[in-house]
Amino acid sequence: MTTTFYSNNTFSDTPYGLKLQQTITSSGSVTIPSNIKRVYAICIGGGGSGGSSAQAGGGGGAGGYSAGWTYAANTCTVGAGGTGVSAAIGNFGGATVYGMVIAGGGAGGNGPTSQSTNATFGGGGAGGSVSGGSNQNSFLAALTSYTGAPGGGSNAAIGYGSAGSNATNSSTTVTAGAAGAGVSTGGGGGALTSGAATNATGGAGGRGLIAGGGGSAFLSNAAPTGTATGGAGGASDSYTGGTGSASTAANTGGAGGGGAGYLANGGNATGNDGGTGGDGGGGGGGANNSGTSGAGGAGVIYLYY
């Protein structure tokens, strides 16, 4: 009798002796051989889309990551990525569920509806959220994962899912802060400057296994001499986040890049449009209220048995 053990180099957390049997990208029925009662599942939630506003939209948060043993289920739910918007609030990504393994979707980026307010946030990773209003620091960390790993407590914290970065608003040169690192990270906040001799750079998405999108930037001045540059999407160890776009014209901005996915790079921003997230990655923030924010990357399920 000969026994073969599979070495899964691509997925280092998968037990030896198992082989990738199914990659599922849409919700519906699942067929498992009748003799298989338990499977090892990796679930990736859909990434959130960025926001796009009259000021500066935040990047979307990354979808959640969960992996473990579960009973062999005959149905599944694969979370879609949040669709891009030409509006202040981005869309949440959907949760991915197979049996007892659940991965939340990333939150949508947030931007103000007018330049009279300054609430711009990147979406939280893995089911986190942000709250609006005029308080720049009013953002929430991601939810705790089903394994009990804690979410990040602030925009700079490290956790299973980090919170999105808050906005930066200044009359001088300014760069919005990046979201915290984690397994599934938040999106970067937007950046706004109102002076003439200034530069504005959106915040980068957090670095992680699945990354959030970059925030956009805006030059609120009739005759600026600086540049508005969108933040880069967050990177992972093996994949890169998308680059942001740039603008030097009056009352315009640069869009944010998409966050790196579990097995894919994030998309680059193009003009006023934010970059799309890789599989599960968050979309970049849109620029100038006329651009479309980047869509979040769709979720996926990998089944081993």
Side-chain angles (χ1 to χ4, degrees):
M1 178 179 177
T2 301
T3 302
T4 300
F5 285 89
Y6 294 97
S7 177
N8 303 296
N9 294 325
T10 303
F11 304 105
S12 60
D13 62 346
T14 305
Y16 282 98
L18 299 182
K19 182 179 181 181
L20 177 61
Q21 303 284 3
Q22 296 190 46
T23 299
I24 303 173
T25 57
S26 60
S27 302
S29 62
V30 179
T31 301
I32 303 292
S34 60
N35 63 315
I36 301 298
K37 305 304 180 184
R38 291 198 309 156
V39 301
Y40 189 87
I42 293 177
C43 289
I44 307 295
S49 65
S52 181
S53 73
Q55 195 175 92
Y65 170 92
S66 291
W69 289 99
T70 177
Y71 61 88
N74 58 13
T75 62
C76 72
T77 300
V78 177
T83 56
V85 297
S86 294
I89 308 300
N91 291 306
F92 269 74
T96 295
V97 182
Y98 181 81
M100 297 184 295
V101 183
I102 303 170
N110 180 306
T113 56
S114 71
Q115 294 182 33
S116 61
T117 60
N118 56 13
T120 302
F121 312 93
S129 61
V130 294
S131 70
S134 60
N135 182 358
Q136 290 185 1
N137 295 313
S138 180
F139 53 86
L140 301 175
L143 301 178
T144 301
S145 77
Y146 87 105
T147 59
S154 70
N155 63 316
I158 297 173
Y160 163 74
S162 68
S165 176
N166 59 315
T168 304
N169 187 349
S170 175
S171 60
T172 61
T173 295
V174 64
T175 299
V183 175
S184 299
T185 68
L192 170 73
T193 61
S194 57
T198 59
N199 294 288
T201 304
R207 183 180 181 86
L209 178 67
I210 311 169
S216 63
F218 192 79
L219 299 175
S220 177
N221 190 276
T225 59
T227 302
T229 305
S236 67
D237 290 340
S238 303
Y239 298 93
T240 61
T243 59
S245 62
S247 175
T248 58
N251 290 308
T252 62
Y262 185 50
L263 291 175
N265 297 326
N268 297 330
T270 304
N272 290 327
D273 298 332
T276 57
D279 48 339
N288 199 28
N289 205 31
S290 60
T292 301
S293 66
V300 63
I301 298 171
Y302 301 99
L303 297 183
Y304 295 81
Y305 48 87

